[in-house]
């Protein structure tokens, strides 16, 4: 089941043919920011020039799998979704989550995805660190 925060975005994604977990997991487009053996991050442009990001966890690393078996039982997407909500509650400007979904087999989350609004207006952490490197106290 896909857990959506904003029904408007759910409708826009449905119109784009993204309704089920499998459709999100298999999603690929020309706006791929990162992709490796375990996850991919895609920019998705919806009707009305709304931009969102889709982070797909299509495989989980063995170490994460062991952690899931013996502790949290939460997928990477759900964990990130909950962390974003906590950071926003603290008043720190960060991602705005739109939803997540996870596939759980025998109590172990195997595949998942996270949807967030675009934050193009905020600087990237890498850029902030690069500019401030000399001023940072360790």
């Amino acid at each position: 089941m896909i857990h959506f925060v904003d029904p408007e975005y759910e409708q826009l994604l449905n119109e784009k043919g993204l309704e089920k977990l499998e459709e999100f997991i298999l999603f690929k487009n020309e706006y791929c920011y990162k992709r490796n053996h375990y996850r991919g991050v895609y920019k998705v442009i919806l009707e009305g020039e709304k931009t969102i990001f889709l982070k797909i966890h299509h495989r989980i690393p063995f170490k994460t799998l062991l952690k899931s078996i013996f502790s949290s039982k939460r997928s990477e997407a759900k964990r990130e979704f909950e962390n974003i909500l906590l950071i926003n509650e603290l008043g720190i400007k960060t991602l705005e989550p739109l939803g997540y979904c996870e596939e759980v087999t025998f109590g172990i989350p195997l595949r998942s995805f996270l949807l967030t609004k675009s934050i193009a207006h905020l600087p990237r952490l890498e850029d902030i660190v690069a500019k401030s490197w000399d001023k940072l106290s360790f």
Side-chain angles (χ1 to χ4, degrees):
M1 181 174 146
I2 302 173
H3 305 278
F4 280 101
V5 174
D6 189 333
E8 177 190 357
Y9 281 88
E10 179 179 9
Q11 179 63 34
L12 291 170
L13 287 161
N14 289 346
E15 290 170 8
K16 199 163 185 75
L18 297 170
E19 296 181 45
K20 299 176 185 161
L21 172 73
E22 195 65 30
E23 294 163 347
F24 282 95
I25 295 294
L26 295 174
F27 180 83
K28 291 180 178 43
N29 70 8
E30 67 273 17
Y31 302 112
C32 179
Y33 282 87
K34 292 180 182 178
R35 186 170 59 217
N36 61 28
H37 298 301
Y38 304 109
R39 70 177 189 200
V41 180
Y42 299 90
K43 178 179 172 181
V44 182
I45 300 172
L46 301 172
E47 184 181 310
E49 298 301 311
K50 292 185 182 207
T51 302
I52 64 170
F53 285 90
L54 168 63
K55 183 186 281 186
I56 303 166
H57 299 274
H58 46 86
R59 292 167 76 196
I60 58 174
F62 184 71
K63 184 178 175 182
T64 305
L65 177 63
L66 287 177
K67 270 192 342 191
S68 293
I69 292 170
F70 295 110
S71 63
S72 71
K73 306 275 193 268
R74 292 183 302 164
S75 67
E76 293 294 312
K78 184 175 182 180
R79 184 174 320 163
E80 188 171 352
F81 181 84
E82 291 171 347
N83 287 340
I84 291 168
L85 291 177
L86 286 172
I87 291 169
N88 280 320
E89 285 176 17
L90 293 171
I92 300 169
K93 188 79 172 144
T94 187
L95 296 168
E96 187 176 336
L98 292 172
Y100 74 93
C101 183
E102 58 185 357
E103 175 186 61
V104 179
T105 303
F106 300 114
I108 300 166
L110 298 178
R111 302 184 304 170
S112 61
F113 69 82
L114 173 70
L115 296 164
T116 60
K117 285 187 180 178
S118 174
I119 57 168
H121 60 282
L122 292 176
R124 295 176 347 139
L125 179 61
E126 292 90 343
D127 297 336
I128 293 170
V129 171
K131 287 180 185 176
S132 307
W133 185 256
D134 295 337
K135 301 173 202 160
L136 294 174
S137 64
F138 293 94

